């Protein structure tokens, strides 16, 4: 019996960038909180209304921002660790490239990105595994890719759920002077 099974998706650098931004904003909020608290008497004397909300707001926002930032950075780090582990294992399959779908949700300078969609049929089980690559910018148009297959590093012990599509091997190399 033949089935179709989609593997897990690979993350992008967006979680890294967002994690950095949230962490920096969280640190700025902590500094602001500490400055407000170190000058609390002046704030109380010159403030009106419920001035006690100022340090509460900055303290709470700093915690929220730092938690989100560290979570996103950890997510990115785990993804990079998984990719390194898969590359070190060296176990891969050659998957057939089935298309270059456009991802309208991920844009670079307002232009949507692509990803490589590929499939591999496990000869032992007949199961078809569907893989997606990381996002590819418009500068690396799919029309420039001449390959029919792509190397996909896999962990068969996890049922192909952990994988990494090696799009660098099929993308045209940009020569810089």
């Amino acid at each position: 019996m033949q089935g179709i099974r989609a593997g897990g998706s690979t993350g992008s650098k967006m979680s890294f960038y967002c994690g950095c931004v949230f962490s920096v904003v969280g640190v700025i909020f902590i500094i602001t909180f500490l400055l407000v608290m170190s000058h609390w008497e002046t704030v109380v004397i010159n403030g009106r209304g419920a001035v006690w909300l100022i340090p509460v707001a900055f303290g709470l926002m700093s915690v929220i921002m730092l938690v989100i930032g560290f979570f996103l950075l950890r997510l990115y780090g785990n993804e990079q660790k998984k990719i390194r582990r898969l590359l070190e294992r060296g176990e891969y399959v050659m998957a057939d490239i089935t298309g270059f779908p456009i991802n309208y949700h991920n844009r670079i300078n307002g232009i949507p990105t692509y990803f490589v969609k590929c499939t591999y049929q496990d000869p032992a089980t007949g199961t078809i595994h569907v893989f997606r690559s990381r996002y590819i910018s418009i500068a690396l148009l799919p029309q420039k890719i001449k390959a029919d297959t792509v190397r996909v590093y896999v962990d068969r012990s996890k049922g192909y759920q952990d994988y990494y599509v090696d799009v660098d091997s099929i993308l045209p190399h940009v020569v810089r002077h």
Side-chain angles (χ1 to χ4, degrees):
M1 184 166 176
Q2 187 180 51
I4 296 178
R5 184 173 179 146
S9 63
T10 57
S12 70
K13 290 183 181 178
M14 196 50 108
S15 60
F16 174 74
Y17 296 135
C18 289
C20 288
V21 169
F22 275 98
S23 297
V24 167
V25 170
V27 168
I28 291 170
F29 276 42
I30 283 177
I31 292 169
T32 306
F33 168 79
L34 293 173
L35 286 172
V36 167
M37 292 309 292
S38 67
H39 296 89
W40 184 244
E41 292 173 4
T42 307
V43 172
V44 170
I45 292 169
N46 295 319
R48 293 185 202 170
V51 293
W52 62 272
L53 285 174
I54 295 171
V56 170
F58 280 107
L60 188 61
M61 289 304 294
S62 66
V63 169
I64 291 170
M65 294 291 180
L66 286 173
V67 167
I68 292 172
F70 291 149
F71 172 76
L72 291 172
L73 289 173
R74 183 175 177 139
L75 192 69
Y76 177 76
N78 289 344
E79 184 70 25
Q80 294 305 306
K81 202 183 309 181
K82 180 185 85 170
I83 291 170
R84 277 192 303 277
R85 182 179 49 80
L86 289 169
L87 291 173
E88 287 170 0
R89 284 178 61 126
E91 184 180 359
Y92 66 88
V93 296
M94 294 305 290
D96 297 321
I97 296 174
T98 58
F100 302 94
I102 297 175
N103 179 6
Y104 291 102
H105 300 290
N106 187 26
R107 297 174 181 266
I108 298 175
N109 294 329
I111 301 170
T113 57
Y114 295 88
F115 60 89
V116 176
K117 183 178 177 184
C118 52
T119 59
Y120 170 74
Q121 185 170 8
D122 187 346
T125 64
T127 302
I128 297 173
H129 300 278
V130 180
F131 303 109
R132 282 179 46 162
S133 73
R134 63 178 166 81
Y135 299 118
I136 304 169
S137 73
I138 193 105
L140 305 169
L141 287 173
Q143 294 85 351
K144 295 180 181 179
I145 298 175
K146 304 296 183 203
D148 295 328
T149 59
V150 63
R151 184 178 302 161
V152 180
Y153 290 89
V154 296
D155 186 349
R156 293 175 200 227
S157 67
K158 294 187 178 184
Y160 295 88
Q161 291 300 307
D162 284 351
Y163 68 85
Y164 172 67
V165 180
D166 185 16
V167 292
D168 292 332
S169 63
I170 60 170
L171 292 175
H173 296 292
V174 179
V175 179
R176 295 193 175 138
H177 293 52

Coordinates of all heavy atoms in Angstrom, one line a residue, residues 64-137:
I64 N 8.0 40.2 29.0 CA 7.3 39.6 27.8 C 8.3 39.6 26.6 O 8.4 38.6 25.9 CB 6.0 40.4 27.6 CG1 5.0 40.1 28.7 CG2 5.5 40.0 26.2 CD1 3.8 41.0 28.6
M65 N 8.9 40.8 26.4 CA 9.8 40.9 25.2 C 11.0 39.9 25.3 O 11.3 39.3 24.3 CB 10.3 42.3 25.1 CG 9.3 43.3 24.8 SD 8.7 43.1 23.1 CE 7.5 44.4 23.0
L66 N 11.6 39.8 26.5 CA 12.7 38.9 26.7 C 12.3 37.4 26.5 O 13.0 36.6 25.9 CB 13.4 39.1 28.0 CG 14.2 40.4 28.1 CD1 14.7 40.6 29.5 CD2 15.4 40.3 27.1
V67 N 11.1 37.0 27.0 CA 10.7 35.7 26.9 C 10.4 35.3 25.4 O 10.9 34.3 24.9 CB 9.4 35.4 27.7 CG1 8.7 34.1 27.3 CG2 9.7 35.4 29.2
I68 N 9.8 36.2 24.7 CA 9.5 36.0 23.3 C 10.9 35.9 22.5 O 11.1 35.1 21.7 CB 8.6 37.1 22.7 CG1 7.2 36.9 23.3 CG2 8.6 37.0 21.1 CD1 6.3 38.1 22.9
G69 N 11.8 36.9 22.8 CA 13.0 36.9 22.1 C 13.9 35.7 22.3 O 14.4 35.1 21.4
F70 N 14.0 35.3 23.6 CA 14.8 34.1 23.9 C 14.1 32.8 23.3 O 14.8 31.9 22.9 CB 15.0 33.9 25.4 CG 15.9 34.9 26.0 CD1 15.7 35.4 27.3 CD2 16.9 35.5 25.2 CE1 16.6 36.3 27.8 CE2 17.8 36.4 25.7 CZ 17.6 36.9 27.0
F71 N 12.8 32.8 23.3 CA 12.1 31.6 22.7 C 12.4 31.5 21.2 O 12.7 30.5 20.7 CB 10.6 31.7 22.9 CG 9.8 30.7 22.1 CD1 9.7 29.4 22.5 CD2 9.1 31.1 21.0 CE1 9.0 28.5 21.8 CE2 8.4 30.1 20.2 CZ 8.4 28.8 20.7
L72 N 12.4 32.7 20.5 CA 12.7 32.7 19.0 C 14.1 32.3 18.8 O 14.4 31.6 17.8 CB 12.3 34.0 18.4 CG 10.8 34.3 18.4 CD1 10.5 35.7 17.9 CD2 10.1 33.3 17.4
L73 N 15.0 32.8 19.6 CA 16.4 32.5 19.4 C 16.7 31.0 19.7 O 17.5 30.4 19.0 CB 17.3 33.4 20.3 CG 17.4 34.9 19.9 CD1 18.1 35.7 21.0 CD2 18.0 35.0 18.6
R74 N 16.0 30.5 20.7 CA 16.2 29.1 20.9 C 15.6 28.2 19.8 O 16.2 27.2 19.4 CB 15.5 28.7 22.3 CG 15.7 27.3 22.6 CD 15.2 26.9 24.0 NE 15.4 25.5 24.2 CZ 15.7 25.0 25.3 NH1 15.9 25.8 26.3 NH2 15.9 23.7 25.4
L75 N 14.5 28.6 19.3 CA 13.9 28.0 18.1 C 14.9 27.9 17.0 O 15.1 26.9 16.3 CB 12.6 28.7 17.7 CG 11.7 28.0 16.8 CD1 11.0 26.8 17.4 CD2 10.6 29.0 16.4
Y76 N 15.5 29.1 16.7 CA 16.5 29.1 15.6 C 17.7 28.3 15.9 O 18.2 27.5 15.0 CB 16.9 30.6 15.4 CG 17.9 30.7 14.3 CD1 17.6 30.6 13.0 CD2 19.3 31.0 14.7 CE1 18.6 30.8 12.0 CE2 20.3 31.1 13.7 CZ 19.9 31.0 12.4 OH 20.9 31.1 11.4
G77 N 18.2 28.3 17.1 CA 19.3 27.5 17.5 C 19.0 26.0 17.4 O 19.9 25.3 16.9
N78 N 17.9 25.6 17.8 CA 17.5 24.2 17.7 C 17.4 23.8 16.2 O 17.8 22.7 15.8 CB 16.1 23.9 18.3 CG 16.2 23.9 19.8 OD1 17.3 23.9 20.4 ND2 15.1 24.1 20.5
E79 N 16.9 24.6 15.3 CA 16.9 24.3 13.9 C 18.3 24.2 13.3 O 18.5 23.3 12.6 CB 16.1 25.4 13.2 CG 15.9 25.2 11.7 CD 14.9 24.0 11.4 OE1 14.0 23.8 12.3 OE2 15.0 23.4 10.4
Q80 N 19.2 25.1 13.7 CA 20.5 25.0 13.2 C 21.2 23.7 13.7 O 22.0 23.1 13.0 CB 21.3 26.3 13.6 CG 20.8 27.5 13.0 CD 20.8 27.4 11.5 OE1 21.8 27.1 10.8 NE2 19.6 27.6 10.9
K81 N 21.0 23.4 15.0 CA 21.5 22.2 15.6 C 21.1 20.9 14.8 O 21.8 20.0 14.5 CB 21.2 22.1 17.0 CG 22.1 21.2 17.9 CD 21.6 21.1 19.3 CE 21.3 22.4 20.0 NZ 20.9 22.3 21.4
K82 N 19.8 20.9 14.5 CA 19.2 19.8 13.7 C 19.8 19.7 12.3 O 20.2 18.6 11.9 CB 17.7 20.0 13.6 CG 17.0 18.8 12.8 CD 15.5 19.1 12.6 CE 15.4 19.9 11.3 NZ 14.1 20.1 10.8
I83 N 20.0 20.8 11.7 CA 20.7 20.8 10.3 C 22.1 20.3 10.4 O 22.5 19.4 9.6 CB 20.6 22.2 9.7 CG1 19.2 22.5 9.3 CG2 21.5 22.3 8.5 CD1 19.0 24.0 8.9
R84 N 22.9 20.8 11.4 CA 24.2 20.3 11.6 C 24.3 18.8 11.9 O 25.1 18.0 11.3 CB 24.9 21.0 12.8 CG 25.5 22.3 12.4 CD 26.4 22.9 13.5 NE 25.8 23.1 14.7 CZ 25.1 24.1 15.1 NH1 24.8 25.1 14.3 NH2 24.5 24.2 16.3
R85 N 23.3 18.3 12.7 CA 23.3 16.9 13.0 C 23.0 16.1 11.8 O 23.6 15.0 11.5 CB 22.2 16.6 14.1 CG 22.1 15.2 14.5 CD 21.0 14.9 15.6 NE 19.7 15.5 15.3 CZ 18.8 15.0 14.5 NH1 19.0 13.9 13.8 NH2 17.6 15.6 14.3
L86 N 22.0 16.5 10.9 CA 21.7 15.8 9.7 C 22.9 15.8 8.7 O 23.2 14.8 8.1 CB 20.5 16.4 9.0 CG 19.2 16.2 9.8 CD1 18.1 17.1 9.2 CD2 18.7 14.7 9.7
L87 N 23.6 16.9 8.6 CA 24.7 17.0 7.7 C 25.9 16.1 8.2 O 26.5 15.4 7.4 CB 25.2 18.4 7.5 CG 24.2 19.3 6.8 CD1 24.8 20.8 6.8 CD2 24.1 18.9 5.4
E88 N 26.1 16.0 9.5 CA 27.1 15.2 10.1 C 26.8 13.7 9.9 O 27.7 12.9 9.6 CB 27.3 15.5 11.6 CG 28.0 16.8 11.8 CD 28.0 17.2 13.3 OE1 27.4 16.5 14.1 OE2 28.5 18.3 13.6
R89 N 25.6 13.3 10.0 CA 25.2 11.9 9.7 C 25.5 11.5 8.3 O 25.8 10.4 8.0 CB 23.7 11.7 10.0 CG 23.4 11.7 11.5 CD 21.9 11.5 11.7 NE 21.4 10.3 11.0 CZ 20.8 9.3 11.7 NH1 20.4 9.5 12.9 NH2 20.4 8.2 11.0
G90 N 25.2 12.5 7.4 CA 25.5 12.2 6.0 C 24.5 11.3 5.3 O 24.8 10.9 4.1
E91 N 23.4 11.0 5.9 CA 22.4 10.1 5.3 C 21.5 11.0 4.4 O 20.9 11.9 5.0 CB 21.7 9.4 6.4 CG 20.6 8.4 5.9 CD 19.9 7.7 7.0 OE1 20.2 8.0 8.2 OE2 19.0 6.9 6.7
Y92 N 21.4 10.7 3.1 CA 20.6 11.5 2.3 C 19.9 10.7 1.2 O 20.2 9.5 1.0 CB 21.3 12.7 1.6 CG 22.4 12.2 0.6 CD1 22.1 12.0 -0.7 CD2 23.7 12.0 1.0 CE1 23.0 11.6 -1.6 CE2 24.7 11.6 0.2 CZ 24.3 11.4 -1.2 OH 25.3 11.0 -2.1
V93 N 18.8 11.3 0.6 CA 18.1 10.7 -0.5 C 18.1 11.7 -1.6 O 18.3 12.9 -1.3 CB 16.7 10.3 -0.1 CG1 16.7 9.2 0.9 CG2 15.9 11.5 0.3
M94 N 18.0 11.3 -2.8 CA 17.8 12.2 -4.0 C 16.3 12.3 -4.3 O 15.7 11.3 -4.7 CB 18.6 11.7 -5.2 CG 20.1 11.7 -5.0 SD 20.8 13.3 -4.5 CE 20.6 14.2 -6.0
A95 N 15.8 13.5 -4.0 CA 14.4 13.7 -4.2 C 14.1 14.4 -5.5 O 14.9 15.2 -6.0 CB 13.8 14.5 -3.0
D96 N 13.0 14.1 -6.1 CA 12.6 14.7 -7.4 C 12.0 16.1 -7.1 O 11.1 16.2 -6.3 CB 11.5 13.8 -8.1 CG 12.1 12.5 -8.5 OD1 13.3 12.4 -8.9 OD2 11.4 11.5 -8.4
I97 N 12.4 17.1 -7.8 CA 11.9 18.4 -7.7 C 10.6 18.5 -8.4 O 10.5 18.1 -9.6 CB 12.9 19.5 -8.3 CG1 14.2 19.5 -7.5 CG2 12.2 20.9 -8.2 CD1 15.3 20.4 -8.0
T98 N 9.5 18.8 -7.7 CA 8.2 18.8 -8.2 C 7.6 20.3 -8.5 O 6.6 20.4 -9.1 CB 7.2 18.1 -7.3 OG1 7.2 18.7 -6.0 CG2 7.5 16.6 -7.2
G99 N 8.3 21.3 -8.0 CA 7.9 22.6 -8.2 C 8.6 23.6 -7.4 O 9.4 23.3 -6.5
F100 N 8.3 24.9 -7.6 CA 8.8 26.0 -6.9 C 7.7 27.0 -6.5 O 7.5 28.0 -7.1 CB 9.8 26.8 -7.8 CG 10.9 26.0 -8.3 CD1 10.9 25.3 -9.5 CD2 12.1 25.8 -7.5 CE1 11.9 24.6 -10.0 CE2 13.1 25.0 -8.0 CZ 13.0 24.4 -9.2
P101 N 6.9 26.5 -5.5 CA 5.7 27.4 -5.1 C 6.2 28.7 -4.6 O 7.2 28.8 -4.0 CB 5.1 26.5 -4.0 CG 5.6 25.1 -4.2 CD 6.9 25.3 -4.8
I102 N 5.3 29.7 -4.8 CA 5.6 31.0 -4.3 C 5.0 31.1 -2.9 O 3.9 30.7 -2.7 CB 4.9 32.1 -5.2 CG1 5.5 32.1 -6.6 CG2 5.0 33.5 -4.6 CD1 4.9 33.0 -7.6
N103 N 5.7 31.7 -2.0 CA 5.2 32.0 -0.6 C 4.9 33.4 -0.5 O 5.8 34.3 -0.3 CB 6.3 31.5 0.4 CG 5.8 31.7 1.8 OD1 4.6 32.1 2.0 ND2 6.7 31.5 2.7
Y104 N 3.7 33.8 -0.6 CA 3.3 35.2 -0.5 C 3.3 35.7 0.9 O 3.3 36.9 1.1 CB 1.8 35.4 -1.0 CG 1.8 35.2 -2.5 CD1 1.3 34.0 -3.1 CD2 2.2 36.2 -3.4 CE1 1.2 33.8 -4.5 CE2 2.2 36.0 -4.8 CZ 1.6 34.8 -5.3 OH 1.6 34.6 -6.6
H105 N 3.5 34.8 1.9 CA 3.5 35.3 3.3 C 4.9 35.7 3.7 O 5.1 36.4 4.7 CB 3.0 34.1 4.2 CG 1.6 33.8 4.0 ND1 0.6 34.6 4.3 CD2 1.1 32.6 3.4 CE1 -0.6 34.0 3.9 NE2 -0.3 32.8 3.4
N106 N 5.9 35.3 3.0 CA 7.3 35.6 3.3 C 7.9 36.5 2.2 O 8.0 36.0 1.1 CB 8.2 34.4 3.5 CG 9.6 34.7 4.0 OD1 9.8 35.7 4.6 ND2 10.5 33.8 3.7
R107 N 8.1 37.7 2.4 CA 8.5 38.7 1.4 C 9.9 39.3 1.7 O 10.2 39.5 2.9 CB 7.5 39.8 1.2 CG 6.2 39.3 0.7 CD 5.1 40.4 0.7 NE 3.9 39.9 0.3 CZ 3.4 39.9 -1.0 NH1 4.2 40.4 -1.9 NH2 2.2 39.4 -1.3
I108 N 10.6 39.6 0.7 CA 11.9 40.3 0.8 C 11.7 41.6 0.0 O 11.5 41.5 -1.2 CB 13.1 39.5 0.3 CG1 13.2 38.2 1.2 CG2 14.4 40.3 0.4 CD1 14.3 37.3 0.8
N109 N 11.8 42.7 0.6 CA 11.6 44.0 0.0 C 10.2 44.0 -0.8 O 10.1 44.5 -1.9 CB 12.7 44.3 -1.0 CG 14.0 44.6 -0.3 OD1 14.0 45.0 0.9 ND2 15.1 44.2 -0.9
G110 N 9.2 43.4 -0.2 CA 7.9 43.4 -0.8 C 7.7 42.3 -1.8 O 6.6 42.2 -2.4
I111 N 8.7 41.6 -2.2 CA 8.6 40.6 -3.2 C 8.5 39.2 -2.6 O 9.3 38.9 -1.7 CB 9.9 40.7 -4.2 CG1 9.9 42.0 -4.8 CG2 9.8 39.6 -5.3 CD1 11.2 42.3 -5.5
P112 N 7.5 38.4 -3.0 CA 7.4 37.1 -2.4 C 8.6 36.2 -2.7 O 9.3 36.4 -3.7 CB 6.1 36.5 -3.0 CG 5.7 37.4 -4.1 CD 6.5 38.7 -4.0
T113 N 8.8 35.2 -1.8 CA 9.9 34.2 -2.0 C 9.3 32.9 -2.5 O 8.1 32.7 -2.6 CB 10.6 34.0 -0.7 OG1 9.7 33.5 0.3 CG2 11.3 35.3 -0.2
Y114 N 10.3 32.1 -2.9 CA 10.0 30.7 -3.4 C 10.5 29.7 -2.4 O 11.3 30.0 -1.5 CB 10.7 30.4 -4.7 CG 10.2 31.3 -5.9 CD1 10.8 32.5 -6.1 CD2 9.2 30.9 -6.7 CE1 10.4 33.3 -7.2 CE2 8.8 31.6 -7.8 CZ 9.4 32.8 -8.0 OH 9.0 33.6 -9.1
F115 N 10.1 28.4 -2.6 CA 10.8 27.3 -1.9 C 10.7 26.2 -2.9 O 9.9 26.1 -3.8 CB 10.1 27.0 -0.6 CG 8.7 26.6 -0.6 CD1 8.3 25.3 -0.8 CD2 7.7 27.5 -0.4 CE1 7.0 24.9 -0.8 CE2 6.4 27.2 -0.4 CZ 6.0 25.9 -0.6
V116 N 11.7 25.2 -2.7 CA 11.7 24.1 -3.6 C 10.8 23.0 -2.9 O 11.0 22.7 -1.7 CB 13.2 23.5 -3.7 CG1 13.2 22.2 -4.5 CG2 14.1 24.6 -4.3
K117 N 9.9 22.5 -3.7 CA 9.1 21.3 -3.2 C 9.6 20.1 -4.0 O 9.7 20.1 -5.2 CB 7.6 21.6 -3.6 CG 6.7 20.5 -3.1 CD 5.2 20.9 -3.4 CE 4.3 19.8 -2.9 NZ 2.9 20.0 -3.3
C118 N 9.8 19.0 -3.2 CA 10.3 17.8 -3.8 C 9.7 16.6 -3.1 O 9.3 16.7 -2.0 CB 11.9 17.8 -3.7 SG 12.6 18.1 -2.1
T119 N 9.8 15.5 -3.8 CA 9.2 14.2 -3.3 C 10.2 13.1 -3.4 O 11.1 13.1 -4.3 CB 7.9 13.9 -4.0 OG1 8.2 13.7 -5.4 CG2 6.8 14.9 -3.8
Y120 N 10.1 12.1 -2.5 CA 10.9 10.9 -2.6 C 10.0 9.8 -2.2 O 9.3 9.8 -1.2 CB 12.1 11.1 -1.6 CG 12.8 9.8 -1.4 CD1 13.7 9.3 -2.4 CD2 12.7 9.0 -0.2 CE1 14.4 8.1 -2.2 CE2 13.4 7.8 0.0 CZ 14.2 7.4 -1.0 OH 14.9 6.2 -0.9
Q121 N 10.1 8.7 -3.0 CA 9.3 7.5 -2.7 C 10.3 6.5 -2.1 O 11.3 6.1 -2.7 CB 8.7 6.9 -4.0 CG 7.8 5.7 -3.6 CD 7.0 5.3 -4.8 OE1 7.1 5.8 -5.9 NE2 6.1 4.4 -4.6
D122 N 10.0 6.1 -0.9 CA 10.8 5.1 -0.1 C 10.6 3.8 -0.8 O 9.4 3.3 -0.9 CB 10.3 5.1 1.3 CG 11.2 4.2 2.2 OD1 12.0 3.4 1.6 OD2 11.1 4.3 3.4
P123 N 11.6 3.2 -1.4 CA 11.5 1.9 -2.1 C 11.0 0.8 -1.2 O 10.4 -0.2 -1.6 CB 12.9 1.6 -2.7 CG 13.8 2.5 -2.0 CD 13.0 3.6 -1.4
A124 N 11.4 0.8 0.1 CA 11.0 -0.2 1.0 C 9.5 -0.3 1.4 O 8.9 -1.3 1.5 CB 11.8 -0.1 2.3
T125 N 8.9 0.9 1.6 CA 7.5 1.0 2.0 C 6.6 1.5 0.9 O 5.4 1.4 1.0 CB 7.4 1.9 3.2 OG1 7.8 3.3 2.8 CG2 8.3 1.4 4.4
G126 N 7.1 2.2 -0.1 CA 6.3 2.8 -1.1 C 5.7 4.1 -0.7 O 5.0 4.7 -1.5
T127 N 6.0 4.6 0.5 CA 5.5 5.8 1.0 C 6.2 7.0 0.2 O 7.4 7.0 0.1 CB 5.8 6.0 2.5 OG1 5.1 4.9 3.1 CG2 5.2 7.3 3.0
I128 N 5.4 8.0 -0.2 CA 5.9 9.2 -0.8 C 6.1 10.2 0.2 O 5.2 10.6 0.9 CB 5.0 9.7 -1.9 CG1 4.9 8.6 -3.0 CG2 5.5 11.0 -2.5 CD1 3.9 8.9 -4.1
H129 N 7.3 10.7 0.4 CA 7.6 11.8 1.3 C 7.8 13.1 0.6 O 8.4 13.2 -0.5 CB 9.0 11.5 2.1 CG 8.9 10.2 2.8 ND1 8.4 10.1 4.1 CD2 9.3 9.0 2.5 CE1 8.4 8.9 4.5 NE2 9.0 8.2 3.6
V130 N 7.1 14.1 1.1 CA 7.1 15.5 0.5 C 8.0 16.4 1.4 O 7.8 16.5 2.6 CB 5.7 16.1 0.4 CG1 5.7 17.4 -0.2 CG2 4.8 15.1 -0.4
F131 N 8.9 17.1 0.7 CA 9.9 17.9 1.4 C 9.7 19.4 0.9 O 9.5 19.6 -0.3 CB 11.3 17.5 1.3 CG 11.5 16.0 1.7 CD1 11.8 15.0 0.8 CD2 11.5 15.7 3.0 CE1 12.0 13.7 1.1 CE2 11.7 14.4 3.4 CZ 12.0 13.4 2.5
R132 N 10.0 20.3 1.8 CA 10.1 21.8 1.4 C 11.4 22.3 1.8 O 11.9 22.0 2.9 CB 9.0 22.5 2.2 CG 7.6 22.4 1.6 CD 6.7 23.2 2.5 NE 7.2 24.6 2.8 CZ 6.4 25.6 3.1 NH1 5.1 25.4 3.3 NH2 6.9 26.7 3.4
S133 N 12.0 23.1 1.0 CA 13.3 23.8 1.3 C 13.0 25.0 2.1 O 11.9 25.5 2.3 CB 14.0 24.1 0.0 OG 13.4 25.2 -0.6
R134 N 14.2 25.7 2.5 CA 14.1 27.0 3.0 C 13.6 27.9 1.9 O 13.6 27.6 0.8 CB 15.5 27.4 3.6 CG 16.5 27.5 2.5 CD 17.9 28.0 3.1 NE 19.0 27.8 2.2 CZ 19.3 28.5 1.2 NH1 18.6 29.6 0.9 NH2 20.3 28.3 0.4
Y135 N 13.4 29.2 2.3 CA 12.9 30.1 1.3 C 14.0 30.6 0.4 O 15.2 30.8 0.8 CB 12.2 31.3 1.9 CG 11.0 30.9 2.8 CD1 11.0 31.1 4.1 CD2 10.0 30.3 2.1 CE1 9.9 30.7 4.9 CE2 8.9 29.8 2.9 CZ 8.8 30.1 4.2 OH 7.8 29.6 4.9
I136 N 13.7 30.8 -0.9 CA 14.7 31.3 -1.9 C 14.2 32.6 -2.4 O 13.0 32.8 -2.7 CB 14.8 30.3 -3.1 CG1 15.1 28.9 -2.5 CG2 15.8 30.8 -4.1 CD1 15.0 27.8 -3.6
S137 N 15.1 33.6 -2.5 CA 14.7 34.9 -2.9 C 14.5 34.9 -4.4 O 14.9 34.1 -5.2 CB 15.7 36.0 -2.5 OG 16.9 35.8 -3.3

